[in-house]
Amino acid sequence: MAYRLGVDVGGTFTDLLLLDQESGGFWRHKTPSTPHDSSVGILIGVEAICAHAGITPAEIEFFLHGTTVATNAVLEGKGARVGLVTSEGYRQIMQIARSFVPGGLAGWIVWPKPEPLAALEDTVEILGRMDAHGNEVRPIDDADIRAALEALKAQGVEALTVSLINAYLNGAHELRVAELAAEILPEVPLSLSHVVLPEMQEYERTLTTVANAAVRPIMRNYVRNLRTKLRDSGMAGSLSLLRSDGGLMSSEKAEEHPVSLLMSGPAGGVTGALWVGKNAGIRNILTLDVGGTSTDVALIENLEARRVRTTEVGHLAVRASALDVKTVGAGGGSIAYVPELTNALRVGPQSAGAVPGPVAYGKGGVQPTVTDANVVLGYLPESLLGGAFKLDREGAKIAVQGIADKLGIGLMQAARGIIDIVNENMFGALRMISVQQGYDPRHFALMGFGGAGPLHVNAVARLMGSWPAVSPVSPGVLCALGDATTQMRTETARSFSRRFAETDETEVQAILNEMAAQTRAELAAEGIADGDITSLFEIDVRYEGQAFEVPLSIDAETLARDGLAGVTARFDEEHHRLFTFNMETAHELVNLRAVALGPLLDLKAPVLAEGNGDPIAAKLRDHELWTDGAMQPAVIYDRSKLRANDVVPGPAIVVEMDSTTLIEGGCIGTVDSVGNILITPVSSFDA
């Protein structure tokens, strides 16, 4: 038997999903995360889920993992001390940076400029220069390089970056620095800009390479530690990590190129939502991934997730492909409070996390959270994780009462206020990836997952006008499912700055084919058969004079058929959708990228037995919850006993091992053929 194990480490829980590749059967498990060392929680989960499935870790062929280790290292400022080698005259490149300042009017007055990841005292210049065509203008000097590297060694740098001017065209000088660094700083991990990001714009190339270097030691230690523990447990299968762009990379490659993992965690949810959408016949999806600490949202159009060329983590924005995911500090553990200054209710971004967690968890938490408000209102029953987790409702009431007293309102009004605010925070994030990108959210379904997503998806769908609101099967471990069902991916890039009118189509095709061969060889080295590899191309285009480009995806057949004229037509269409206008100036080709994809696991969702529309067999008990300003009667259902075509009228709660779905009054939940709950307003259901 061949098994795949998807593991997603969140701020509160570590989710695991074990998949039998032959039968399609799966097992799921949640265990509290261990923030001090994620691998501890992972190993506990691996042992538990293997025991549950009746297998040993040795039978796991593929271990697929989404991680926030690199993300947290950047957010918490715990990256390694980076030494930077750059060209003569460019020592202040990280300090000068770009002139863009976030924020509204006069934002520059109060904006504290982030500390560069490579300090000025750890930056050295060397002689030598390449010109804008990659030709050597001045040679490098070994003695000069040795002196610079010895200086960095004396400083005690923990990682090394080499980013020389125009190295993206010719990396010979950087390679010589690498040879000498291997001799002088043999234990220090090295990142070369022409390898990490072979694209023009020296600041973005340097910043991305420095970011890669900053997280390399941490990522290397984490991956090696995890790999050792898994091997000791008997698991001999391959270990792969989820990239920010939704593909997989081997753990060895992840050690060298961790900048591709900065959005690894949220990417799992998007790939999981793609799998659900494909099986449910839903092609346009807004995702709402609500965890304990934060909410991640993304847009899927025609079963294609939007990708961007910039990965943003806190103040850091690096040039690396990522799924277009926006994150807000709104999760089940988000803390509600009333600042003395304004006396107005606030929720998040501070979170109770896994430790001590919400008050209702009974682990020592004292501050009221979103989870506590859901418990107080009756939206979250007191028994979770199939009865393994009992909630302290009285404790939650006492905590939320503190908010009510400060605001001078009733307990239920305070609890509902907390939920309304967190729903508005999620609504704002969803508008950023839909309305502000030129998409009408009414043309999309809203899929809620993560531990708390299905609790909020109905209310947020009302705000968005996005129907149906979808609660997928096993929503709490959907990110782990995404990890388990995604495919290997690698890419390479090259700058090609030229007007379309002056560009030879055959030259562009030849370069793309050469890069495609390079990426295919990388996947072949991972043991993937050439016949299972798919190649795609990406071309960055802009109007001449613009300071930004629009990336366009295209396959080899379409490019051969439509040529560069087809690319410019698509760019005009996309530019108009994004910005509502086009320009008369010439089109300019900026960057070329080739992407290689491994085989996609063609896993079908198990089909549910058909019911007669009446969910009575799944009814657990009658219940009361707060809605429309009063306590109202509701019903609690067991999701595992629902059948296809069952219709669940709101208000109702559907419970399962890893999540809870709330169907509001005035709405209807219909179970589809594969078990997803599709929630729609009663009026549209009648129509």
Side-chain angles (χ1 to χ4, degrees):
M1 293 282 241
Y3 293 91
R4 294 167 78 96
L5 179 64
V7 180
D8 180 74
V9 180
T12 309
F13 285 105
T14 294
D15 303 328
L16 300 97
L17 188 129
L18 181 67
L19 198 60
D20 181 338
Q21 293 185 149
E22 292 170 16
S23 71
F26 63 86
W27 297 262
R28 54 196 174 168
H29 184 72
K30 286 177 93 74
T31 187
S33 293
T34 48
H36 65 284
D37 181 357
S38 301
S39 63
V40 173
I42 291 173
L43 264 292
I44 292 169
V46 169
E47 289 171 11
I49 202 166
C50 285
H52 183 38
I55 68 166
T56 64
E59 293 174 75
I60 297 171
E61 190 178 355
F62 300 102
F63 182 100
L64 311 147
H65 176 31
T67 176
T68 55
V69 170
T71 322
N72 293 340
V74 171
L75 289 174
E76 296 166 15
K78 293 180 179 174
R81 182 173 181 176
V82 180
L84 171 60
V85 179
T86 189
S87 298
E88 186 181 17
Y90 283 83
R91 186 166 172 247
Q92 285 83 9
I93 187 167
M94 294 293 289
Q95 285 68 32
I96 294 170
R98 285 273 178 235
S99 60
F100 174 75
V101 175
L105 188 65
W108 57 273
I109 296 173
V110 293
W111 183 55
K113 197 171 184 178
E115 278 294 314
L117 289 174
L120 191 60
E121 60 266 29
D122 294 332
T123 305
V124 294
E125 297 178 348
I126 62 168
L127 302 171
R129 178 67 63 93
M130 295 286 182
D131 69 13
H133 301 288
N135 303 312
E136 186 179 77
V137 178
R138 287 199 301 274
I140 49 175
D141 180 277
D142 280 8
D144 173 57
I145 295 169
R146 285 179 186 279
L149 293 174
E150 290 289 356
L152 291 177
K153 184 178 181 179
Q155 292 274 73
V157 298
E158 300 161 326
L160 186 64
T161 293
V162 185
S163 182
L164 304 179
I165 202 70
N166 294 326
Y168 70 93
L169 290 163
N170 183 343
H173 287 178
E174 288 192 351
L175 288 170
R176 181 55 185 156
V177 176
E179 289 171 5
L180 295 173
E183 184 187 312
I184 296 166
L185 295 155
E187 298 301 314
V188 174
L190 174 68
S191 297
L192 304 178
S193 78
H194 79 276
V195 174
V196 173
L197 185 70
E199 293 183 13
M200 63 183 202
Q201 297 184 320
E202 69 280 357
Y203 171 66
E204 283 75 11
R205 179 163 47 86
T206 303
L207 175 65
T208 302
T209 314
V210 166
N212 191 70
V215 295
R216 264 190 80 173
I218 290 168
M219 204 67 213
R220 182 174 64 176
N221 292 343
Y222 172 72
V223 170
R224 289 182 180 178
N225 180 32
L226 177 61
R227 195 190 295 124
T228 301
K229 287 184 177 180
L230 288 171
R231 297 288 180 255
D232 290 346
S233 75
M235 199 209 86
S238 66
L239 169 59
S240 300
L241 281 85
L242 193 66
R243 295 161 51 105
S244 304
D245 57 19
L248 287 170
M249 67 196 303
S250 68
S251 61
E252 291 79 11
K253 190 83 184 285
E255 289 181 44
E256 298 171 16
H257 212 276
V259 76
S260 295
L261 299 169
L262 288 175
M263 292 297 281
S264 168
V270 182
T271 53
L274 281 165
W275 181 82
V276 172
K278 190 175 174 185
N279 281 285
I282 302 171
R283 303 187 68 81
N284 291 342
I285 304 165
L286 293 170
T287 69
L288 183 72
D289 179 2
V290 187
T293 307
S294 60
T295 292
D296 301 319
V297 300
L299 182 142
I300 296 169
E301 182 183 27
N302 202 23
L303 286 179
E304 280 286 328
R306 268 183 65 87
R307 287 188 174 83
V308 289
R309 283 291 294 141
T310 303
T311 304
E312 295 183 19
V313 178
H315 286 300
L316 181 70
V318 298
R319 189 73 63 83
S321 288
L323 296 176
D324 189 7
V325 177
K326 296 287 185 285
T327 302
V328 287
S334 293
I335 294 167
Y337 61 102
V338 180
E340 296 289 339
L341 192 64
T342 60
N343 208 38
L345 178 61
R346 297 284 301 276
V347 182
Q350 302 87 349
S351 173
V355 181
V359 177
Y361 285 7
K363 290 185 177 178
V366 293
Q367 294 176 293
T369 66
V370 171
T371 295
D372 296 314
N374 276 316
V375 171
V376 169
L377 292 163
Y379 302 163
L380 201 53
E382 290 161 58
S383 175
L384 280 183
L385 296 183
F389 212 70
K390 295 288 183 186
L391 296 175
D392 177 8
R393 191 174 186 206
E394 290 309 310
K397 283 183 174 178
I398 292 166
V400 176
Q401 187 65 52
I403 296 289
D405 293 344
K406 283 185 180 177
L407 295 172
I409 58 176
L411 171 67
M412 292 300 177
Q413 285 86 353
R416 186 64 222 187
I418 292 169
I419 300 303
D420 286 343
I421 287 174
V422 85
N423 287 343
E424 287 287 345
N425 286 345
M426 296 173 190
F427 175 47
L430 283 161
R431 281 183 61 86
M432 284 173 66
I433 54 110
S434 58
V435 177
Q436 292 184 24
Q437 301 273 21
Y439 293 98
D440 185 341
R442 293 171 297 185
H443 298 157
F444 291 77
L446 181 66
M447 188 179 293
F449 50 93
L455 263 179
H456 295 266
V457 70
N458 195 162
V460 180
R462 277 189 199 274
L463 295 171
M464 294 291 293
S466 300
W467 302 105
V470 183
S471 172
V473 176
S474 301
V477 295
L478 192 75
C479 289
L481 174 69
D483 296 342
T485 56
T486 193
Q487 60 199 135
M488 295 295 284
R489 177 184 170 104
T490 188
E491 67 175 49
T492 188
R494 190 177 300 182
S495 283
F496 189 88
S497 185
R498 207 178 294 174
R499 288 192 191 117
F500 273 76
E502 299 165 1
T503 301
D504 180 359
E505 210 163 283
T506 54
E507 184 186 358
V508 172
Q509 191 77 56
I511 293 170
L512 287 170
N513 289 340
E514 180 191 325
M515 293 197 296
Q518 179 189 330
T519 54
R520 293 176 79 92
E522 284 183 36
L523 289 192
E526 301 288 345
I528 298 173
D530 190 68
D532 291 334
I533 300 173
T534 306
S535 288
L536 294 173
F537 301 134
E538 291 180 357
I539 299 176
D540 292 347
V541 184
R542 67 185 179 191
Y543 290 119
E544 192 174 26
Q546 282 185 321
F548 61 90
E549 343 24 270
V550 174
L552 301 170
S553 296
I554 194 165
D555 57 59
E557 292 76 22
T558 307
L559 183 62
R561 185 186 70 237
D562 300 341
L564 293 179
V567 174
T568 57
R570 273 190 58 203
F571 168 76
D572 286 339
E573 184 184 325
E574 181 71 359
H575 193 279
H576 194 275
R577 190 188 61 73
L578 286 169
F579 308 111
T580 72
F581 71 93
N582 286 337
M583 295 170 66
E584 296 298 322
T585 48
H587 294 84
E588 192 175 35
L589 197 156
V590 183
N591 298 308
L592 303 174
R593 276 183 303 282
V595 179
L597 299 168
L600 188 63
L601 181 67
D602 188 22
L603 179 73
K604 296 283 187 286
V607 176
L608 240 56
E610 286 216 21
N612 61 3
D614 186 351
I616 190 67
K619 181 177 175 178
L620 287 175
R621 60 185 182 273
D622 290 317
H623 183 64
E624 275 198 332
L625 52 77
W626 179 272
T627 182
D628 295 328
M631 293 301 289
Q632 307 268 8
V635 180
I636 298 179
Y637 295 93
D638 179 352
R639 186 160 190 171
S640 66
K641 294 178 181 173
L642 288 172
R643 295 291 171 256
N645 302 322
D646 279 357
V647 177
V648 181
I653 293 168
V654 183
V655 295
E656 58 190 302
M657 186 281 284
D658 57 348
S659 193
T660 302
T661 303
L662 173 65
I663 301 169
E664 295 188 338
C667 289
I668 292 279
T670 308
V671 182
D672 73 5
S673 62
V674 291
N676 301 304
I677 300 173
L678 310 179
I679 304 168
T680 52
V682 173
S683 55
S684 65
F685 183 80
D686 292 339

